């Protein structure tokens, strides 16, 4: 089961600035619920100041495959609009082409002439002019099957019937049916690289003439290559003859958690629009902050066979992000909290000045320092999560208990947890009977006189030695389960004791 609800104002880029339409709004929500083990239902609702759209649907798991049915209705100044979609998927069945697991997917979507979607007005508001492909019916089918031991083949076909009567939202509105069919072969090339080759026939180009007609269909070839030359490093490249679009991207990350780096570079060329772009960024994830430096550059008048470009945009940005969190009377500064829960970890008085580390040494999630408590900013909301912590310079014998906290954090809210407590003393000693002989291989309970509900289990070995943690300074009564009747001992832990306490030999209460 899942649900989501959000609302806000729409935005777009204009002259490289983020513009917010404060006179407009946008809201959306959905609920997906498992009705039975085989049926899942969904309802959704979206709206802005011009359009309201709502829908419902269901998915049916049958022995013959997964069947999904969805419907939607929109209301706008254009009138009432309807849409419906029917999908079918049969995955990992033993197919006729290879005799091994194969997958079939089919989809049909219908839209009436005046069916509209909230948020359409943003399409032509910014500096990026998005193309529009209006249609009343779209059909697609894909069939995937293995060839040999390592190659996977996918046959795909699509046909989109144009809608020439609906509203034109963009100057790049395409007229005419769009269709394509292709064969894609994909396989690993080496242990550190993989590739894919697509051969097809299509008119799904982004280029069209002055009348808005789509270009003539043509044969297409698309090549994709993915390489992992080193750990946490990836290089990808692709070229598609249909639109003359090619790109090369590279990314690398160093470390995990606090103190890690993420870098990326993307270069892209589009011959259909004679434009190219170069994006590069580097992000540092610190213990208290995130810092991101990015460079975006664009050019007009470029192609793969020549470069006569002129700059069309150049933007350099530096972003520094942090969050101020509050929980249970404690403030903390940490990395941005983006839609998740958080936890603040503070130290008990006996650990004042000690460093609290959350997570393993090679992927520290947060740690305390001179700026105050540790704050974990990325706990999944509404999910049970275990936070493991440690204190590297812990006093000898100091008991941290389980060394973890279990939390179910709310959305964009959290809790404060205290590391350490008054019950942090570890005690070891030897229990003797009234004759001075060891109390061997017995169990018992230690209770503090200041809090009788606090109980610590005691175990002795053959020589009567015991060790117990989770005690605090003060007087404790130890009750051992001896044969005829319980034997009681008194253990005094001196005030101010931190960590390990050597109790020595202890005789029963009242014994000389």
């Amino acid at each position: 089961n899942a649900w989501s609800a959000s609302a806000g104002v729409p935005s777009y880029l204009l002259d490289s600035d983020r513009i917010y339409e404060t006179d407009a709004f946008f809201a959306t929500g959905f609920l997906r619920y498992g009705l039975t083990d085989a049926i899942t239902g969904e309802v959704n609702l979206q709206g802005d100041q011009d359009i309201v759209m709502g829908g419902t649907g269901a998915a049916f798991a049958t022995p013959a495959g997964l069947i999904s049915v969805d419907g939607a209705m929109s209301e706008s100044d254009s009138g009432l609009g309807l849409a419906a979609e029917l999908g079918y998927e049969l995955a990992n069945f033993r197919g006729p082409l290879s005799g091994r697991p194969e997958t079939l997917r089919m989809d049909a979507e219908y839209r009436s002439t005046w069916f509209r979607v909230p948020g359409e007005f943003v399409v032509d508001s910014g500096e990026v002019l998005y193309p529009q492909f209006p249609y009343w019916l779209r059909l697609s089918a894909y069939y995937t099957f293995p060839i040999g031991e390592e190659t996977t083949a996918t046959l795909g076909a699509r046909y989109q019937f144009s809608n020439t009567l609906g509203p034109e939202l963009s100057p790049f509105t395409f007229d005419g049916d769009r269709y394509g069919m292709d064969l894609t072969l994909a396989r690993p090339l080496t242990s550190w690289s993989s590739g894919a080759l697509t051969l097809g026939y299509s008119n799904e180009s982004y280029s069209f003439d002055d009348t808005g007609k789509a270009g003539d269909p043509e044969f297409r070839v698309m090549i994709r290559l993915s390489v992992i030359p080193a750990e946490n490093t990836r290089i990808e490249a692709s070229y598609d003859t249909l639109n003359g679009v090619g790109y090369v991207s590279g990314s690398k990350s160093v470390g995990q958690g606090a103190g890690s780096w993420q870098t990326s570079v993307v270069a892209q060329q589009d011959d259909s629009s004679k434009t190219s772009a170069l994006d590069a960024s580097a992000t540092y994830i610190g213990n208290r902050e995130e810092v991101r430096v990015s460079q975006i550059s664009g050019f007009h008048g470029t192609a793969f066979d020549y470069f006569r470009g002129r700059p069309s945009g150049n933007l350099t940005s530096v972003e520094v992000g942090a969050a101020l969190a509050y929980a249970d009377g404690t403030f903390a500064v940490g990395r941005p909290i983006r839609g998740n829960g958080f936890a603040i970890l503070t130290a008990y008085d006996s650990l004042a000045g000690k460093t609290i580390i959350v997570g393993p040494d090679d992927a520290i999630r947060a740690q305390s320092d001179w700026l105050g408590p540790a704050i974990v900013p990325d706990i999944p909301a509404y999910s049970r999560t275990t936070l493991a912590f440690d204190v590297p310079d812990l006093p000898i014998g100091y008991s941290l208990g389980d060394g973890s906290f279990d939390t179910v954090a709310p959305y964009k809210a959290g809790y404060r947890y205290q590391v350490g407590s008054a019950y942090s003393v570890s005690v070891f000693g030897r229990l003797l009977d009234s004759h001075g002989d060891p109390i061997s291989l017995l169990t018992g309970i230690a209770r503090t006189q200041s809090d009788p509900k606090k109980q610590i289990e005691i175990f002795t070995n053959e020589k009567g030695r015991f060790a117990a943690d989770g005690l605090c300074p003060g007087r404790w009564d130890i009750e051992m389960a001896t044969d005829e009747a319980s034997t009681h001992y008194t253990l005094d832990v001196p005030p101010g004791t931190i960590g390990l306490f050597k109790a020595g030999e202890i005789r029963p209460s009242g014994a000389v």
Side-chain angles (χ1 to χ4, degrees):
N1 303 329
W3 65 272
S4 174
S6 59
V9 296
S11 66
Y12 52 86
L13 287 174
L14 183 63
D15 296 330
S16 300
D17 289 331
R18 175 66 63 179
I19 304 298
Y20 291 90
E21 289 281 358
T22 56
D23 295 334
F25 72 90
F26 190 92
T28 180
F30 80 90
L31 170 65
R32 185 178 297 119
Y33 192 83
L35 302 175
T36 68
D37 291 342
I39 303 176
T40 300
E42 179 179 323
V43 292
N44 59 79
L45 181 66
Q46 298 182 38
D48 61 18
Q49 69 279 1
D50 299 319
I51 304 170
V52 177
M53 182 189 74
T56 185
F60 306 87
T62 72
L66 180 66
I67 300 173
S68 60
V69 181
D70 297 279
M73 179 183 298
S74 70
E75 175 63 35
S76 66
D77 55 5
S78 301
L80 186 67
L82 301 174
E85 185 174 10
L86 175 64
Y88 174 76
E89 178 178 350
L90 182 59
N92 297 323
F93 67 96
R94 192 165 296 279
L97 297 183
S98 66
R100 290 184 290 164
E102 302 175 6
T103 298
L104 171 65
R105 296 183 180 89
M106 295 186 294
D107 185 84
E109 180 188 358
Y110 163 79
R111 292 189 175 190
S112 67
T113 299
W114 301 113
F115 179 78
R116 300 179 64 181
V117 179
E120 288 179 346
F121 70 95
V122 180
V123 170
D124 62 347
S125 298
E127 60 189 14
V128 179
L129 297 179
Y130 297 95
Q132 181 189 10
F133 309 102
Y135 61 91
W136 67 271
L137 180 63
R138 181 167 60 187
L139 306 174
S140 63
Y142 297 91
Y143 195 92
T144 301
F145 56 94
I147 298 178
E149 295 298 325
E150 296 184 320
T151 302
T152 299
T154 298
L155 287 169
R158 305 160 299 281
Y159 201 102
Q160 182 171 295
F161 296 86
S162 175
N163 173 18
T164 60
L165 301 178
E168 291 190 6
L169 305 174
S170 169
F172 296 119
T173 298
F174 283 69
D175 184 14
D177 297 349
R178 295 169 63 82
Y179 53 85
M181 58 184 302
D182 44 53
L183 167 66
T184 299
L185 302 174
R187 61 164 295 155
L189 303 177
T190 66
S191 60
W192 45 270
S193 65
S194 61
L197 173 65
T198 298
L199 305 173
Y201 184 74
S202 171
N203 74 336
E204 297 163 310
S205 171
Y206 300 139
S207 300
F208 64 96
D209 58 27
D210 294 338
T211 65
K213 296 292 184 180
D216 294 330
E218 60 182 78
F219 289 99
R220 68 180 299 190
V221 177
M222 183 169 66
I223 301 174
R224 287 174 291 175
L225 179 65
S226 178
V227 179
I228 304 178
E231 185 178 6
N232 299 322
T233 303
R234 178 179 291 273
I235 300 174
E236 295 183 344
S238 173
Y239 179 73
D240 187 353
T241 62
L242 182 62
N243 294 291
V245 174
Y247 79 88
V248 177
S249 68
S251 63
K252 182 176 179 59
S253 60
V254 179
Q256 299 181 43
S260 63
W261 285 86
Q262 298 174 357
T263 58
S264 67
V265 178
V266 179
Q268 181 170 321
Q269 168 64 39
D270 187 343
D271 274 7
S272 63
S273 61
K274 297 296 186 292
T275 61
S276 61
L278 175 65
D279 298 349
S281 67
T283 302
Y284 172 72
I285 301 175
N287 181 42
R288 306 284 183 181
E289 77 292 332
E290 289 183 5
V291 181
R292 185 175 187 270
V293 180
S294 65
Q295 174 67 44
I296 302 175
S297 300
F299 301 90
H300 277 308
T302 60
F304 277 103
D305 54 352
Y306 69 90
F307 184 87
R308 302 172 185 170
R310 63 185 186 279
S312 61
N314 192 47
L315 177 64
T316 303
S317 64
V318 178
E319 302 174 23
V320 180
L324 177 63
Y326 175 83
D328 193 22
T330 300
F331 285 96
V333 178
R335 297 193 302 276
I337 300 170
R338 299 185 175 96
N340 292 302
F342 66 88
I344 298 174
L345 279 70
T346 61
Y348 187 69
D349 292 343
S350 58
L351 292 179
K354 303 295 184 182
T355 299
I356 300 172
I357 295 178
V358 184
D361 292 340
D362 58 348
I364 295 175
R365 300 179 65 180
Q367 69 180 50
S368 63
D369 53 26
W370 63 275
L371 284 175
I375 175 172
V376 183
D378 54 357
I379 301 176
Y382 309 118
S383 298
R384 184 169 296 278
T385 303
T386 298
L387 297 178
F389 62 86
D390 191 17
V391 180
D393 52 350
L394 201 66
I396 297 176
Y398 194 102
S399 174
L400 284 177
D402 294 336
S404 65
F405 294 117
D406 291 330
T407 178
V408 181
Y411 179 69
K412 287 190 176 179
Y415 303 98
R416 180 182 74 92
Y417 296 98
Q418 183 174 266
V419 176
S421 69
Y423 296 93
S424 59
V425 177
S426 296
V427 177
F428 71 94
R430 190 170 182 230
L431 296 180
L432 306 176
D433 61 17
S434 58
H435 302 291
D437 296 324
I439 300 294
S440 303
L441 304 175
L442 290 180
T443 62
I445 296 294
R447 299 181 181 88
T448 175
Q449 294 183 0
S450 61
D451 184 7
K453 295 182 180 180
K454 181 71 174 181
Q455 297 185 357
I456 304 295
E457 292 187 358
I458 299 290
F459 302 90
T460 60
N461 63 11
E462 289 184 340
K463 296 183 178 181
R465 292 190 174 92
F466 74 93
D469 59 9
L471 284 74
C472 69
R475 175 158 290 186
W476 290 76
D477 175 62
I478 300 176
E479 181 181 354
M480 300 300 296
T482 48
D483 292 337
E484 297 181 357
S486 298
T487 303
H488 291 262
Y489 298 82
T490 299
L491 170 64
D492 287 313
V493 180
T497 301
I498 297 177
L500 192 62
F501 174 65
K502 299 178 182 180
E505 294 182 345
I506 307 175
R507 294 176 181 267
S509 302
V512 179

